[in-house]
Amino acid sequence: MRRDARLLGSLAALVAALALASLLTGPADAGLRAGIEALWTGEGPLGIVLREIRAPRTVLAIMVGASLGLSGAALQGYLRNPLAEPGLIGISASAALGAVVAIQAGVSALALGVPFAALGGALGGVALILGLAGRRAGGLGLILGGIAVSALAGALTALVLNLSPNPFAAYDIMFWTMGSLADRSWGHVLTAAPLMLAGWVALARAGRDLDALSLGEEAAASMGVNLARLRLLVVLGAAAAVGAATAVAGAIGFVGLVVPHLLRGAVGAMPSRLLPAAALGGAALVLAADVAVRLILPERDLKLGVMMALVGAPVFLHLIWRTQAGR
Amino acid sequence: MVSLRALAVLALAAGLAAPAGAEPPKRVVSMNLCTDQLAMALAAPGQLVSVSYLALDPRSSAMVEEAMAYPTNRGRAEEIYLLKPDLVLAGSFGGPAVAMLHRLGVPVVEVAPPTSLAEARDAIAQVGAALGRSETAEAMIADFDREVARLARPAGPDAPTAATWGANGYSIAGDTLAGDILRRAGFALVTDRLGMETSGYVPLEVLVMAQPDLIVTGSPYPGASRAEEVLDHPALERLEGHVLRVPDALWTCALPRSLEALAMLSAEAEALR
């Protein structure tokens, strides 16, 4: 337990350091002191930049990262499969489809209807995955189902955006499939927060039952775990957290895959201990990626998905290789 | 026989080379939004037989009502050839359709899109000459010059700054018609201050740091896009400079009506002094 506290403490410190870096990174160059002063006083154009542009971006990076890390860890615990990740199994893509349909149907991008539509899309994605691959599916079935759902949702998203009367909507395909936190505002933070919080609460409450489930279904049932309730908590929680994150930041892949993978060694196999660490780790990873995209191309909106795939794809390949070797 | 044919070829060549000196064209088809509007303003009754479909789009055309009187075309070589025009007005990016019309021997006058008020005068003169309506064009140019002289203000070193702000943060530079109109209205362009020679994307942070006195936005498109969300970012409301909407159609093409944009901006510059 003390080891856990130390790990969580250092992860929190990492998140804080990266948050500071995120606040101080951007095309409007300002020194460390000027930046912190402007953030404190809110005065002048730099004050506006820090308070209205960079602060919401940083907060959103933490929230989105925590949602994705947490959902990845919970889904992996529930499906007992290290490859279960919201991006890979198509939840993010179907959430993006839900959000896009709502926005094109006339819901304001800052209305609560968009995260709820994304939740609806995400639930559709989960239902398809569980229907296609089933709970006891091996890694291959899950990934194949994920490919199908992702492809379908991605194609429908592109179709809806191409049918929009707005010529710029088609340019948004990149945003919805790769994710970005550029030019977000406090409005987006407030839009995503309620549903995201609900998702976090649901996933946090699933922790103990997931521990029991790691011993096998029968064992868990004999320990008094209500498997139907657990499924509801994990599926709804992950769909809510990922849906809300996707509604404001687009589909960001690999976070839920990389973070639990990196942290599992430190916390052992217990899902309840992995969950908080994965939330903090996800926040740190998305913050780092969001700082990196601004360092690489400060003037342009390089998508987060690019950075995440650069980190995530090798991890993913390694996991597949290990799964195959283990068989 | 041979000499007759040679004579015909000569006559045709002369007709192509100097359409203004010959009989004015009777069936004129315009296939470009900007030539559409100049032709509608300059042509004699019955002379213009078709304009492009874009002339009916209120987002880009400043003469939608006038355009309703004309059949529209979509700029395809085939449909234009079937209209049997004796003159086609096109922009300078007509592409394969214009090349095809040239091969078919249809006289085509290509009018480069003006990127300044000075070039707008040339375009009016060019379309007027092609239509055989040079006198009308000259009167229009005289009005145009008078209005520009009345509305223009000098942009000194302490000129107020302005930036146009579009989807994804696209901001126009001084080498465009809108940029020229902003300058003539007495504004210094933020894109100039940023050292941008051509229009491009300005990050929101950079725009905020530049603290423009005026932010000019255009007409929003129907339906929603994330690219346009940046136009409503709360950081812009916190700036001291205010936001003015100038309908895109006024300066998509250089027209006498473009001076309405000049008048709006000139009044803004006056108020900022």
Side-chain angles (χ1 to χ4, degrees):
Chain A
M1 277 299 127
R2 185 178 295 161
R3 232 180 87 216
D4 272 11
R6 207 179 309 146
L7 175 73
L8 292 181
S10 48
L11 280 173
L14 180 64
V15 169
L18 286 166
L20 188 64
S22 169
L23 283 170
L24 296 173
T25 309
D29 246 339
L32 180 73
R33 248 190 82 192
I36 292 172
E37 245 175 57
L39 181 66
W40 187 255
T41 61
E43 277 165 14
L46 194 58
I48 301 179
V49 166
L50 276 149
R51 284 196 173 179
E52 297 290 337
I53 302 173
R54 291 199 197 156
R57 179 173 190 158
T58 303
V59 170
L60 217 48
I62 294 173
M63 289 164 58
V64 167
S67 297
L68 295 172
L70 201 56
S71 304
L75 284 168
Q76 287 165 26
Y78 174 66
L79 294 169
R80 282 177 287 160
N81 187 328
L83 297 177
E85 195 264 334
L88 284 175
I89 65 175
I91 302 183
S92 296
S94 36
L97 174 62
V100 163
V101 168
I103 290 175
Q104 290 303 325
V107 180
S108 154
L110 291 178
L112 279 177
V114 177
F116 275 98
L119 166 70
L123 284 177
V126 182
L128 262 177
I129 284 291
L130 293 185
L132 275 170
R135 268 221 49 214
R136 286 176 197 79
L140 196 61
L142 201 63
I143 294 306
L144 287 179
I147 290 173
V149 171
S150 286
L152 181 65
L156 290 175
T157 302
L159 179 67
V160 171
L161 290 172
N162 275 307
L163 288 175
S164 165
N166 192 314
F168 295 111
Y171 291 104
D172 291 351
I173 294 173
M174 272 279 278
F175 164 75
W176 288 110
T177 51
M178 299 290 259
S180 163
L181 289 165
D183 299 336
R184 306 281 81 183
S185 66
W186 287 115
H188 294 100
V189 175
L190 291 180
T191 305
L195 193 59
M196 227 178 228
L197 279 175
W200 294 354
V201 170
L203 293 177
R205 289 182 56 181
R208 187 161 303 191
D209 287 357
L210 286 175
D211 284 350
L213 188 63
S214 64
L215 304 171
E217 256 176 51
E218 278 96 54
S222 70
M223 287 162 75
V225 171
N226 181 343
L227 286 173
R229 177 179 164 274
L230 177 60
R231 179 168 62 207
L232 203 65
L233 274 181
V234 171
V235 167
L236 271 178
V242 174
T246 307
V248 291
I252 303 169
F254 291 117
V255 180
L257 180 85
V258 173
V259 171
H261 175 69
L262 291 178
L263 293 172
R264 204 166 277 127
V267 295
M270 296 294 262
S272 66
R273 294 168 62 197
L274 181 59
L275 287 177
L280 286 171
L285 185 62
V286 171
L287 273 172
D290 193 40
V291 170
V293 293
R294 278 178 284 171
L295 288 177
I296 295 170
L297 278 177
E299 310 266 303
R300 305 249 295 279
D301 179 17
L302 178 64
K303 302 291 182 259
L304 277 177
V306 176
M307 295 309 300
M308 288 318 308
L310 285 177
V311 181
V315 174
F316 181 48
L317 289 173
H318 172 72
L319 278 171
I320 291 188
W321 174 76
R322 225 175 50 183
T323 324
Q324 295 293 325
R327 260 209 298 209
Chain B
M1 275 314 263
V2 173
S3 64
L4 250 179
R5 191 186 290 168
L7 214 63
V9 168
L10 264 178
L12 190 68
L16 278 178
E23 189 88 333
K26 291 192 184 61
R27 290 185 60 80
V28 180
V29 171
S30 167
M31 53 185 280
N32 169 275
L33 173 68
C34 297
T35 56
D36 289 343
Q37 299 182 75
L38 289 179
M40 286 190 282
L42 291 169
Q47 192 182 18
L48 184 62
V49 294
S50 171
V51 294
S52 81
Y53 72 104
L54 288 172
L56 285 174
D57 175 9
R59 279 197 46 85
S60 36
S61 168
M63 296 177 70
V64 173
E65 273 181 36
E66 292 88 336
M68 303 237 215
Y70 299 92
T72 57
N73 66 74
R74 288 195 167 250
R76 290 172 294 216
E78 197 172 318
E79 61 175 341
I80 287 171
Y81 186 74
L82 289 175
L83 289 167
K84 300 192 177 66
D86 53 3
L87 175 69
V88 171
L89 294 172
S92 48
F93 306 107
V98 166
M100 172 76 80
L101 289 169
H102 277 302
R103 280 204 297 282
L104 292 169
V106 179
V108 180
V109 169
E110 293 174 56
V111 183
T115 57
S116 67
L117 290 174
E119 284 177 32
R121 304 171 79 254
D122 302 341
I124 295 172
Q126 190 188 0
V127 173
L131 293 171
R133 304 272 293 169
S134 286
E135 275 173 32
T136 320
E138 271 158 31
M140 187 186 276
I141 291 170
D143 279 350
F144 193 83
D145 288 345
R146 238 188 338 270
E147 276 291 283
V148 172
R150 188 174 70 81
L151 294 168
R153 7 195 103 254
D158 58 341
T161 53
T164 67
W165 186 240
N168 279 329
Y170 192 77
S171 189
I172 54 111
D175 64 342
T176 61
L177 177 68
D180 188 52
I181 290 178
L182 276 165
R183 280 179 178 164
R184 293 285 196 105
F187 284 99
L189 291 178
V190 167
T191 42
D192 281 343
R193 300 261 162 109
L194 296 175
M196 292 166 62
E197 280 169 17
T198 53
S199 309
Y201 299 99
V202 175
L204 178 61
E205 288 188 8
V206 174
L207 182 81
V208 169
M209 293 301 282
Q211 290 187 286
D213 296 303
L214 184 71
I215 297 171
V216 180
T217 63
S219 333
Y221 279 92
S225 72
R226 179 182 178 273
E228 287 173 319
E229 259 184 69
V230 75
L231 303 180
D232 300 320
H233 198 284
L236 295 180
E237 287 160 27
R238 294 271 311 272
L239 282 174
E240 276 168 29
H242 74 287
V243 179
L244 176 76
R245 203 177 72 81
V246 175
D248 289 347
L250 288 184
W251 52 17
T252 301
C253 293
L255 307 164
R257 275 199 73 189
S258 302
L259 300 180
E260 289 175 30
L262 180 62
M264 286 169 82
L265 293 163
S266 183
E268 285 290 328
E270 181 65 32
L272 279 166
R273 275 187 195 222

